[in-house]
Amino acid sequence: MIKGISLHNYTKEFPYNLKLAYPVIFGMVGHVVVQLVDNIMVGQLGPSELAAISLGNSYIFIALSIGLGFSTAITPLVAESHMTKRFLVIRLIFSNGLIMCFSLGILLGLTVFLAHPILYRMGQPPGVVDLAIPYLKWVSFSLIPLITFQAFKQFFDGLSKTLPAMYATILANILNVLLNYFLIFGVWIFPQMGIEGAAIGTFISRVIMVIFMILYMIQKRGIRSYLPGFNDWKFQPLILNKLLSIGYPSALQMLCEFLFFISAIWLSGILGELSQAANQIALNLTAVTYMFAIGIGVAATIRVGNYKGVKNFKDLKRVAHSIFLLIIMIDIVFCLVFLVFRNELPWIYLNQNSLEELLEIQTVVALASQLLLISSIFQIFDGMQAVILGALRGLQDVKVPALICFIAYGLVGFPISYFLGMYTSVGVMGIWVGLLAGLSVSSSLLYFRFNLMTRQLILFHSR
């Protein structure tokens, strides 16, 4: 029993929660698997090339966090309107969200493209920076189709249709892997372009994702009517203000979170390219498991948004807690996997037959194994904070969560990472201890916030 309620009242929600979540998980894991394949392919070129991709992506992730943050405003607004059958409002939300995301994609892509000289002033290894810049230039332009795709994805998620984005991602990922293989190594008629080839493959695959979503909407009779008409390509002030009021704090929250993890890349780069390569391996493996939390967090946003639309806050809280229980169970499994296989997993990324760099490779593997030990511990905290943020987003409560993330990551986690990483002998391990501290504080405070919000809503609507 949990507070007088049968455990079955929570576990009975698992099938529908997973039905909503699994396409998102599959799609998000697909993105990370492609990054993993990129890293494996590039890792065959050497630790410097692997570190270069890590450094280049750190800039992309900063811009992407802003675009993703704004796009997440679409899902709770569509989910709430969908339950009350306000179809015209849904169309306006989608058209305004699409314009917003496309405009952000252009702005963020150009910003990253023009800001690349800053890499030389950040204390990173010069050879790594030289390799990262060509990669960064191509991937910066891929932000335009990627953030535009997010508008489509968030719209479909709000309608509880999470499969279309999964289909688009599978198609794009298959194409991305093939193009990367041909362009990185110069297979068949293609030139050998190294990590720049990986960036070109990424750009093309992201364009395909947007094209797929447009064609999908055109062919689906029940959804076709939501496509913006000629007169819809303009901002509606009321809708735009609502999108921005949710999107802006969400973007700040995601920016804090992304910067927190990106700081680990930058700090490990200061320690040297071997520490940076080990950090990249551990982050990439951790990102795979984190995508499960992202998918279940989307389910939390959808379901909480639906119950908010009909003002059923008692069931809203029960369903949300069923989702929290689900992610805890999943992350315990991941925790055990990382603990048991932490010494074997890093070898996936590196060429064991490279005798010239054998000592460096062994050092990277040893460091990555230590980082995975810490990662296994923070799996539960990382998953919980992602899912609780999704539930709070469904409640359209975004300002206080953004402040919580700033406190947890900026005032607790980062100072610990910086001090332990830069001023003690533990090095990159200390950076990850800071990550663990920030995530544990964030998940605890967010859980307290959700319970406080739902308790107040239940009391108010029971009068």
Side-chain angles (χ1 to χ4, degrees):
M1 305 289 284
I2 300 178
K3 290 187 177 182
I5 300 177
S6 169
L7 185 62
H8 176 67
N9 284 339
Y10 296 95
T11 57
K12 72 179 182 181
E13 301 292 340
F14 283 5
Y16 188 62
N17 294 339
L18 290 170
K19 180 181 178 181
L20 289 174
Y22 90 83
V24 183
I25 294 171
F26 203 84
M28 297 299 291
V29 169
H31 279 305
V32 178
V33 167
V34 167
Q35 289 182 9
L36 184 148
V37 172
D38 283 354
N39 287 329
I40 292 172
M41 291 182 185
V42 173
Q44 308 310 302
L45 304 176
S48 294
E49 285 80 359
L50 188 61
I53 276 195
S54 174
L55 181 60
N57 280 336
S58 71
Y59 269 73
I60 294 298
F61 290 155
I62 292 174
L64 182 59
S65 68
I66 297 172
L68 290 178
F70 277 100
S71 73
T72 56
I74 298 172
T75 297
L77 294 178
V78 171
E80 182 180 11
S81 298
H82 183 57
M83 287 298 289
T84 52
K85 303 187 184 302
R86 293 180 290 172
F87 301 115
L88 177 59
V89 173
I90 294 175
R91 178 170 172 167
L92 291 175
I93 292 168
F94 175 54
S95 62
N96 279 254
L98 187 58
I99 299 169
M100 177 184 71
C101 288
F102 180 70
S103 302
L104 279 170
I106 294 175
L107 177 63
L108 294 169
L110 286 174
T111 300
V112 173
F113 178 79
L114 295 173
H116 68 266
I118 299 174
L119 287 173
Y120 285 107
R121 303 181 180 180
M122 295 190 60
Q124 303 297 307
V128 172
V129 175
D130 290 339
L131 289 168
I133 284 180
Y135 175 85
L136 184 65
K137 287 180 178 179
W138 275 103
V139 178
S140 64
F141 287 111
S142 75
L143 286 171
I144 300 172
L146 180 58
I147 296 175
T148 302
F149 167 78
Q150 285 299 315
F152 287 93
K153 177 189 177 301
Q154 299 290 345
F155 162 73
F156 277 107
D157 287 350
L159 295 177
S160 299
K161 298 181 183 296
T162 52
L163 282 170
M166 183 189 76
Y167 297 145
T169 303
I170 292 173
L171 174 63
N173 287 342
I174 293 172
L175 179 63
N176 195 7
V177 170
L178 291 174
L179 287 173
N180 287 354
Y181 176 68
F182 290 139
L183 292 172
I184 290 173
F185 301 112
V187 177
W188 195 31
I189 61 173
F190 296 89
Q192 184 176 350
M193 302 181 70
I195 65 173
E196 189 175 3
I200 295 172
T202 298
F203 174 78
I204 295 172
S205 66
R206 287 174 175 175
V207 171
I208 295 298
M209 291 167 67
V210 176
I211 295 173
F212 177 90
M213 296 301 272
I214 294 172
L215 294 177
Y216 187 93
M217 287 193 72
I218 291 173
Q219 294 193 6
K220 289 294 180 179
R221 184 177 301 175
I223 302 174
R224 189 187 309 156
S225 60
Y226 291 120
L227 274 172
F230 181 79
N231 294 323
D232 293 325
W233 291 106
K234 59 183 179 181
F235 282 124
Q236 301 287 335
L238 291 177
I239 299 293
L240 178 62
N241 287 338
K242 192 67 174 175
L243 285 167
L244 293 177
S245 68
I246 298 175
Y248 177 65
S250 296
L252 289 179
Q253 173 265 310
M254 285 197 174
L255 180 61
C256 285
E257 185 173 349
F258 275 59
L259 280 174
F260 184 43
F261 280 90
I262 288 167
S263 70
I265 297 174
W266 292 342
L267 292 176
S268 62
I270 295 172
L271 295 175
E273 66 180 47
L274 299 185
S275 291
Q276 193 172 53
N279 180 78
Q280 173 66 5
I281 291 171
L283 276 181
N284 192 248
L285 287 168
T286 302
V288 174
T289 63
Y290 182 66
M291 293 305 105
F292 283 76
I294 291 292
I296 294 172
V298 169
T301 301
I302 295 169
R303 300 209 67 188
V304 169
N306 288 159
Y307 281 107
K308 181 179 183 296
V310 294
K311 300 189 184 331
N312 185 350
F313 293 104
K314 287 185 178 180
D315 279 339
L316 181 154
K317 185 173 184 178
R318 177 183 58 81
V319 167
H321 277 88
S322 78
I323 300 175
F324 300 162
L325 177 61
L326 178 62
I327 190 60
I328 289 174
M329 294 170 64
I330 291 172
D331 279 335
I332 287 174
V333 174
F334 289 141
C335 172
L336 295 174
V337 169
F338 276 25
L339 281 173
V340 174
F341 297 105
R342 66 183 184 276
N343 295 318
E344 289 76 23
L345 290 171
W347 285 107
I348 297 172
Y349 295 81
L350 297 164
N351 185 0
Q352 302 183 45
N353 300 318
S354 177
L355 296 178
E356 297 85 356
E357 297 177 323
L358 182 59
L359 182 60
E360 291 183 347
I361 289 171
Q362 289 176 336
T363 301
V364 170
V365 170
L367 288 172
S369 175
Q370 293 174 346
L371 299 184
L372 289 176
L373 179 62
I374 300 176
S375 176
S376 68
I377 300 171
F378 75 50
Q379 288 295 310
I380 295 174
F381 297 115
D382 199 16
M384 278 296 293
Q385 64 90 25
V387 174
I388 298 170
L389 279 169
L392 288 168
R393 197 171 292 124
L395 285 173
Q396 299 175 28
D397 177 43
V398 288
K399 293 180 180 178
V400 173
L403 178 61
I404 287 173
C405 289
F406 171 75
I407 293 170
Y409 304 145
L411 302 184
V412 178
F414 177 74
I416 293 174
S417 290
Y418 185 80
F419 175 77
L420 293 179
M422 298 296 102
Y423 294 103
T424 72
S425 60
V426 294
V428 70
M429 281 277 288
I431 295 172
W432 276 61
V433 170
L435 296 181
L436 173 60
L439 289 169
S440 60
V441 171
S442 172
S443 60
S444 301
L445 292 178
L446 289 170
Y447 183 72
F448 175 79
R449 173 65 180 176
F450 179 82
N451 280 334
L452 177 64
M453 284 286 296
T454 50
R455 185 163 58 247
Q456 290 175 343
L457 288 168
I458 291 170
L459 288 173
F460 180 79
H461 288 276
S462 64
R463 293 174 181 173

